[in-house]
Amino acid sequence: MVRLPKRMGFEQMIGESKDMALRRLMQLERRLGKDEDLRSRYNEAMQMYLDQQHIFDGSAKTTSNRSLNDGLMTGPVIQDPLFDLVLRFRKHPVAFVADIEKMYLQVKVHPDDTPLQRILWRFSPEEPVATYEMSRVTFGLAPSSFLATRCLHQLAEDEGNHHPRTKVALINDFYVDDYIGGADSVQKAILLRQDLEQLMPKGGFKLRKWVKALGIHWKPGLDLLGIDVSNLTANGQWTRRKVYSIIAQLWDPSGITAPVISWAKIRMQLLWVAVQGWDDPLSHDLALRWTEFYQQLPVLSDIQVERHAFTKHPMLVQFHVFSDASEAAYGACIYARSIDLVGHIKVELLAAKSRPASLKKTTLARLELCGAHVAAKLYRATVKALKMEDTETWFWSDSTVVLSWLKLPPYVLANFRCKSRLAHPGANEGTPMEPR
């Protein structure tokens, strides 16, 4: 059971909302009155939501012109970024995934706060309007994600000592309601799954779907990772909004398709100069270019990497970090090179990041420096996620100017801030042929 985290002055901040809710209900009923089939389907959906005790619009404005979400705190981020989970997913020789069935519904809201989760509804205009109070954490409220994930951490704290393997998994390997992790062997993976299935019900949670991978396009049989573009749709005229929507759907947290997405970012940047409004049609040339890009997107599904990025029982592991730049963009990538006991070598791309260059003209040397800086940040994020900070690492750049800058003490150089708003990478990141 949780309380809704309220901001200071919450009572003065939030006004009345019943009249607004009633007006919205009347408007909806007029719409449903014109379509009996829609009314029937709407009633079925509402009954399901009411049975599950979670439906709410926390962003609706009250008489104070503030919504409930305006008066609630969202809570801190207490789970690792998705980037970290995907990297660790590639570290395990044996991987498995699952999600929590109806996670929010397993978390009750304190009775003192349920009056804030009231809705008005009736299944027929002939019925009186009824008021319902949602007793569970609901979709649409700002702190819902935090409250649900905080309960997972509380479960780990309360019961984790009896399930040490599962305690680590609860804290490190969940992204909201999705588990993505694994173990060193099939036997350990089976034991971890059994522990999860024993521990989760103690917090009212049930795991299901032991096949899905958090939206990642994972082929378990071949153990390959890729990017799924099968659901991308583009209808009507090309506008800036439509272009941005398509690019936002290219979900690739580790960056295995970074060169393609970098091309899109560069052209997206040009739209700010070429197009005034979000919904203004693009020129014929621009529309033709984005149509061609969109038509080629299915080819991205052919790009795949091995899910397990290391050899089994590696004797030696190295990281190799590359940076580069052009006048249009800069970026970096990191590879893992591992050698097993019999000398088999495996090299796999772990992650990549790219950024378009600023529209304000700058020198190529400075962009190469920005690329080196992205490489340093990408390295730090990768080794932190994998918990492999002491791994031998080599940094590579083909810019002799940047290599000279990196060998100098930072205080002798003029200040320069990359577009990514990061500080100078410093002189201790290493250079080609010089391991960290």
Side-chain angles (χ1 to χ4, degrees):
M1 181 179 291
V2 297
R3 295 297 303 264
L4 298 182
K6 306 176 186 67
R7 299 183 184 276
M8 293 185 63
F10 175 84
E11 289 76 12
Q12 292 74 36
M13 185 182 302
I14 306 301
E16 296 293 330
S17 60
K18 186 174 182 179
D19 290 344
M20 175 272 299
L22 188 59
R23 286 195 303 271
R24 292 176 65 175
L25 176 61
M26 297 300 106
Q27 291 171 358
L28 178 60
E29 285 190 340
R30 285 193 292 271
R31 178 188 169 198
L32 297 180
K34 300 175 183 178
D35 189 335
E36 285 301 320
D37 180 61
L38 179 61
R39 174 183 289 280
S40 177
R41 288 186 283 116
Y42 214 98
N43 282 341
E44 289 178 6
M46 288 297 298
Q47 187 61 58
M48 180 186 68
Y49 289 137
L50 292 173
D51 291 342
Q52 295 176 351
Q53 301 177 339
H54 77 116
I55 179 174
F56 199 71
D57 181 4
S59 297
K61 300 296 184 182
T62 66
T63 53
S64 66
N65 203 33
R66 300 274 184 90
S67 67
L68 176 58
N69 278 341
D70 292 333
L72 296 177
M73 295 182 285
T74 58
V77 177
I78 59 175
Q79 290 180 320
D80 287 344
L82 188 55
F83 175 82
D84 293 17
L85 269 71
V86 173
L87 280 176
R88 289 200 289 267
F89 186 57
R90 301 189 64 191
K91 186 178 180 181
H92 302 295
V94 180
F96 62 92
V97 295
D99 71 4
I100 300 173
E101 182 178 2
K102 300 176 181 176
M103 180 182 183
Y104 286 12
L105 295 184
Q106 314 314 318
V107 183
K108 292 183 178 180
V109 174
H110 194 280
D112 288 351
D113 288 338
T114 55
L116 297 172
Q117 300 189 155
R118 287 176 177 163
I119 66 167
L120 302 180
W121 181 249
R122 61 182 175 184
F123 289 91
S124 169
E126 288 73 36
E127 298 178 1
V129 175
T131 301
Y132 297 88
E133 284 188 8
M134 303 295 103
S135 64
R136 306 285 175 151
V137 168
T138 69
F139 293 100
L141 285 192
S144 293
S145 178
F146 163 74
L147 293 173
T149 55
R150 178 62 180 83
C151 287
L152 283 186
H153 283 224
Q154 189 64 41
L155 176 61
E157 182 178 333
D158 293 343
E159 303 288 345
N161 292 336
H162 305 296
H163 305 269
R165 284 188 298 262
T166 315
K167 181 177 183 179
V168 174
L170 279 178
I171 295 174
N172 294 331
D173 296 332
F174 272 88
Y175 188 77
V176 191
D177 59 344
D178 285 288
Y179 170 80
I180 173 170
D184 295 336
S185 66
V186 173
Q187 183 178 6
K188 290 182 179 179
I190 292 173
L191 290 175
L192 177 55
R193 171 177 173 165
Q194 291 173 346
D195 276 1
L196 281 168
E197 290 180 326
Q198 292 175 11
L199 176 60
M200 300 300 286
K202 295 181 179 180
F205 301 112
K206 179 182 178 183
L207 287 175
R208 63 175 184 176
K209 293 184 182 177
W210 294 90
V211 290
K212 194 183 70 163
L214 197 57
I216 302 168
H217 192 52
W218 178 38
K219 297 181 179 179
L222 300 174
D223 208 10
L224 297 175
L225 289 178
I227 180 171
D228 185 8
V229 295
S230 60
N231 294 325
L232 291 179
T233 57
N235 300 313
Q237 287 185 319
W238 283 105
T239 63
R240 184 197 293 174
R241 188 186 307 277
K242 182 178 175 181
V243 169
Y244 278 43
S245 174
I246 289 293
I247 304 308
Q249 294 176 63
L250 295 176
W251 192 83
D252 182 17
S254 57
I256 62 175
T257 59
V260 177
I261 295 178
S262 180
W263 184 97
K265 288 179 179 178
I266 294 168
R267 271 84 189 160
M268 287 167 62
Q269 193 179 41
L270 296 177
L271 290 180
W272 284 105
V273 178
V275 182
Q276 295 297 320
W278 278 98
D279 298 307
D280 292 342
L282 303 189
S283 67
H284 175 74
D285 290 343
L286 284 175
L288 192 63
R289 182 177 298 177
W290 283 106
T291 298
E292 184 180 11
F293 175 78
Y294 173 74
Q295 291 173 343
Q296 295 181 49
L297 284 178
V299 181
L300 288 179
S301 60
D302 296 333
I303 301 175
Q304 300 176 116
V305 296
E306 291 192 32
R307 197 272 318 160
H308 187 212
F310 304 89
T311 59
K312 292 183 178 179
H313 311 296
M315 177 186 68
L316 173 68
V317 175
Q318 294 176 331
F319 292 136
H320 290 263
V321 190
F322 298 83
S323 69
D324 204 354
S326 71
E327 293 182 349
Y330 55 91
C333 60
I334 180 168
Y335 285 83
R337 180 178 185 267
S338 55
I339 307 174
D340 66 14
L341 296 175
V342 295
H344 292 149
I345 299 175
K346 186 173 185 177
V347 179
E348 286 291 335
L349 174 67
L350 287 178
K353 295 290 182 183
S354 65
R355 299 182 188 277
S358 173
L359 291 175
K360 183 179 179 180
K361 199 70 174 178
T362 188
T363 65
L364 184 59
R366 285 188 168 189
L367 293 174
E368 292 276 9
L369 179 62
C370 291
H373 191 203
V374 170
K377 298 293 288 184
L378 181 63
Y379 159 75
R380 293 192 188 105
T382 300
V383 298
K384 180 182 177 182
L386 294 173
K387 297 178 172 58
M388 298 176 67
E389 288 88 346
D390 296 328
T391 303
E392 181 181 302
T393 304
W394 298 68
F395 293 82
W396 302 85
S397 171
D398 62 358
S399 171
T400 55
V401 174
V402 169
L403 296 178
S404 298
W405 283 343
L406 293 177
K407 291 179 180 179
L408 294 174
Y411 64 83
V412 304
L413 299 170
N415 289 335
F416 169 64
R417 187 174 293 274
C418 295
K419 181 189 174 187
S420 53
R421 295 185 294 179
L422 304 174
H424 188 285
N428 62 347
E429 297 298 344
T431 59
M433 304 308 297
E434 179 183 337
R436 175 182 176 274

